[in-house]
Amino acid sequence: MLSDVTTPQDLDDRFRETLAALATPQQRRDPQRPITDDTTLTGALALDLFDAQATSRQLDLAGRWLRSFGEGFYTIGSAGHEGNATVAAALRVTDPALLHYRSGAFYCVRAAQGARSEAAGADPSGADDGPAEDVRPGPGRPGDGAVPADPGADGPADAGGDARPVLDRPFAPGYAEAARDVLRGMAASSLEPVAGGRHKVFGRADLAVVPTTSTIASHLPRAVGMGLAVERLRRLDAAGRRDGVRVGSGAGAAQASWPPDAIVVCSFGDASVNHASATAAFNTAGWYDHTGLRIPVLFVCEDNGLGISVRSPSGWVEATLRSKPGVRYFSADGGDLPGAYEAAVEAAAWVRRHRRPAVLHLSTVRLMGHAGADAETAYRAAGEIAADLDRDPLAATARLLVGAGLAGGEELLTRYDEIGWQVRRIAEEVLDEPKLTAPAEVVAPLAPRRPVRVARAVADAAARAAGPGAGARAEAFGGKPPELTGPLTLAQSINAALADGMLDHPQMAVFGEDVGAKGGVYGVTKGLRDRFGAARVFDTLLDETSILGLGLGAGLAGMLPVPEIQYLAYLHNAEDQLRGEAATMQFFSRGAFRNPMVVRVAGLAYQEGFGGHFHNDNSVAVLRDVPGLVIAVPARPDDAAPMLRTCLASAAVDGSVCVFLEPIALYHTRDLYADGDGEWLAPYAEPGGWTGGHVPIGRARVYGVGSAEDVTIITFGNGVPMSLRAAATLADEGIGTRVVDLRWLAPLPVADVIREAAATGRVLVVDETRRSGGVGEGIIAALVDAGYVGAARRVAGVDSFVPLGPAARQVLVSENAITQGARTLLAR
């Protein structure tokens, strides 16, 4: 028997005892009728949901079994949360879902919906759904597994089933698929359909289940962004987008669509309501709702009362969720199948009809502890644990089915064992599947780079701007395109490149604090809202987590988001949105999902007469540590525009997440060597010159001063003009210098660095960030790794926060320090 191999034994035994005590009904109910008089939940659908819940329970037991002999690597289970099957049943297979890690039953139902839609000949992506008819489940309606049609007021059609006895019901192919997916994830099989052995996630592109590796609620801001983007794009009639939101448009990405009336569902645990990311998401959803913008997101809080061992205070979660302005509150007991189903149907229909956010507060229990290594008896009384066992939702569903005359206890036990046998068989099969065995395999989907395609995309944009788009471009620039306005500053060049990007990318949106009406605190986005409208250039609330979350969701939904973080120092409180959410999306979905994004950040130091730490932050280590992230630092106007075009093209072509770090102190700089020389201004290239001036990711710019044979200075950002001035001083002393502007901090232009270092045999690294954790460490390491044997020295910022006023000069790199560093290097 399966009980010999499933653990923990007590939960399995307790459930078996419950089923054995249930009598066989004297009369059988028609499964096409509602299971009770006060619900639309039919018996057929209830039987299917029992199968989903039982499959989820058996997956939890199988996970513990795999772990018992070292072949399973994940034991956070869904036992006690199986009521979330009703939420999946209330939704469509085309409603994108970001799932909590206890969503086994939800995932099983979603997989079965997809399998039935496919078997019925429907496109599970929903791309060709068109207007839907009114389909309300009810007495006498055959269960067909169809995706629900009318999202506004009606629940979903039955998930399937017929009048045959429970034992005659085959194990649904969708549940078997779901079981295989989950078990592959537990066993780190490289054949797992989304992460491919990189992580255990709930995710499949064809089921619109977006993988989340949430560090507690970090996926909620993305869900808000997805909702905002879905609603914006359904109103946008551009490039054939009106009939569906196209996602994953890159090579290797899934070609799925979300219909115009799709809603986003996002689930999380009760402890997560206290996290700053959750607070940000609820606040942003409510803030936009208050302003009249629509965000169709259904938040689902699965409340088991515990965050590992820490209890949620009684009534706290309900009080917290009820108090969220602009977010409609629904609640249900996850152990009450008809009640939870009706609440989920009502909540989903409300969100779909009104296009507004809501939260479904689903009370659950947690069985078998937080994970396999969690000994609940260390912090919970035996009576408390037993009380939770009495609320087992799987047992509650079994009692409901027997009481309604749909099955007998022995039938359900046999069904439970049949499902367990199927799950065990699949588990044994996945044991022999391959694992990832090489670094190249692991990192392959992390950050694909196709420089030739990116260059072609830039060339195509140039051709459009000079050809069919020339008229619209002239109109957008008021008849005077930037190439005709004379030399530009760094800020002006970025502004012009953003405008050209908006013209070429209909789905591009620029947003952030003060970027709209004000045009940015430094004027970088000035005039863009007037040219392109408030739907594409808009101000956000003051919260960096929400700004990045909006970008993540918008990119996933098919837009090309360009959010702005007003100052580098403000990024740090939201850094996990880049590290844990943005950078991991392609990695944990093998490219099936992408969140292309170009994050503009005003940063670095040297602002005169303004600042202190928060406006002169010189720390970028937190960015350079994120795998796959592109970090661009333009120092010159004639680099800024082509680098921004490259970032936009890379985001569109490869789904890249790019940080465009703009040196504040250089925004309006005009001169280099002397007042009035205009040497830091540059003309804006006309479209015909974009291809020849293309700047590939990871390529440096080299300046030769004097003979350029004596010393190589490697730098970036503010260090570039300082190093050029220092090189001019050294040239007067007969010293020739090569100044290398890295331009890209990730990936570093290692080949250019090695070549220019070898040319002189003396390297001075000028790093305006800090000595510890600064960019210079990476450059020195690259030189060592390449076998460089020449002399090297660093000039870097002091390990300190940047103070206010003249004191800043004591901790930042100066021109004099650069000159002295080069002289010391030459004196060796």
Side-chain angles (χ1 to χ4, degrees), residues 393-743:
L394 184 59
T397 299
R399 286 191 290 267
L400 174 73
L401 293 172
V402 173
L406 289 160
E410 285 298 323
E411 289 178 84
L412 292 177
L413 178 57
T414 303
R415 182 66 173 171
Y416 173 75
D417 278 343
E418 167 66 17
I419 291 171
W421 179 84
Q422 296 282 2
V423 169
R424 171 68 184 275
R425 177 183 59 80
I426 295 169
E428 291 174 342
E429 290 173 359
V430 304
L431 286 176
D432 296 327
E433 292 183 349
K435 307 289 194 294
L436 297 171
T437 57
E441 277 188 276
V442 174
V443 303
L446 173 62
R449 297 275 184 264
R450 292 175 292 185
V452 174
R453 293 193 184 185
V454 170
R456 187 182 306 137
V458 171
D460 291 344
R464 287 188 292 270
R473 185 169 185 265
E475 181 180 355
F477 285 109
K480 193 174 184 179
E483 59 266 25
L484 300 180
T485 59
L488 304 181
T489 63
L490 180 72
Q492 291 169 331
S493 183
I494 294 171
N495 177 278
L498 285 171
D500 271 322
M502 298 282 281
L503 288 165
D504 194 59
H505 299 279
Q507 310 306 334
M508 178 175 159
V510 174
F511 53 90
E513 301 165 27
D514 302 302
V515 304
K518 183 178 176 64
V521 293
Y522 294 99
V524 180
T525 57
K526 185 177 180 179
L528 293 181
R529 191 181 73 164
D530 293 339
R531 294 176 190 172
F532 300 102
R536 298 187 64 196
V537 182
F538 57 93
D539 293 322
T540 64
L541 72 178
L542 195 155
D543 178 58
E544 284 71 30
T545 294
S546 296
I547 292 170
L548 293 178
L550 290 174
L552 290 171
L556 190 64
M559 296 179 67
L560 181 56
V562 183
E564 177 185 294
I565 301 298
Q566 201 165 81
Y567 290 101
L568 177 59
Y570 300 167
L571 174 69
H572 301 306
N573 60 49
E575 182 265 342
D576 185 55
Q577 291 295 301
L578 290 180
R579 175 192 301 274
E581 293 293 319
T584 61
M585 180 51 69
Q586 295 205 82
F587 183 70
F588 289 128
S589 72
R590 293 193 294 181
F593 293 100
R594 318 180 318 165
N595 37 222
M597 186 164 61
V598 179
V599 185
R600 292 182 46 251
V601 184
L604 302 177
Y606 298 97
Q607 279 197 91
E608 293 292 338
F610 178 53
H613 165 62
F614 287 107
H615 302 97
N616 275 307
D617 188 4
N618 64 341
S619 175
V620 299
V622 73
L623 293 171
R624 292 187 60 247
D625 182 53
V626 180
L629 202 67
V630 173
I631 307 173
V633 184
R636 293 182 58 95
D638 48 348
D639 278 339
M643 289 173 69
L644 182 54
R645 280 192 287 270
T646 297
C647 287
L648 292 172
S650 182
V653 170
D654 290 328
S656 302
V657 180
C658 304
V659 174
F660 201 72
L661 183 57
E662 302 164 5
I664 296 172
L666 299 178
Y667 268 148
H668 306 298
T669 297
R670 305 176 69 85
D671 307 320
L672 176 59
Y673 300 110
D675 291 345
D677 66 14
E679 290 288 334
W680 212 247
L681 300 173
Y684 189 87
E686 62 179 354
W690 293 359
T691 302
H694 172 59
V695 178
I697 291 174
R699 291 302 307 271
R701 177 171 182 164
V702 182
Y703 300 83
V705 182
S707 66
E709 295 178 351
D710 299 311
V711 63
T712 299
I713 298 178
I714 300 173
T715 189
F716 63 95
N718 293 290
V720 179
M722 288 193 295
S723 295
L724 288 171
R725 287 191 288 267
T729 299
L730 293 170
D732 291 341
E733 301 172 10
I735 299 171
T737 306
R738 293 170 182 249
V739 177
V740 179
D741 177 4
L742 294 170
R743 298 194 293 194

Side-chain angles (χ1 to χ4, degrees), residues 244-278:
V245 179
R246 180 71 56 183
V247 297
S249 58
Q255 296 296 308
S257 285
W258 304 330
D261 58 354
I263 68 173
V264 179
V265 62
C266 177
S267 61
F268 55 97
D270 55 289
S272 295
V273 302
N274 305 300
H275 198 277
S277 296

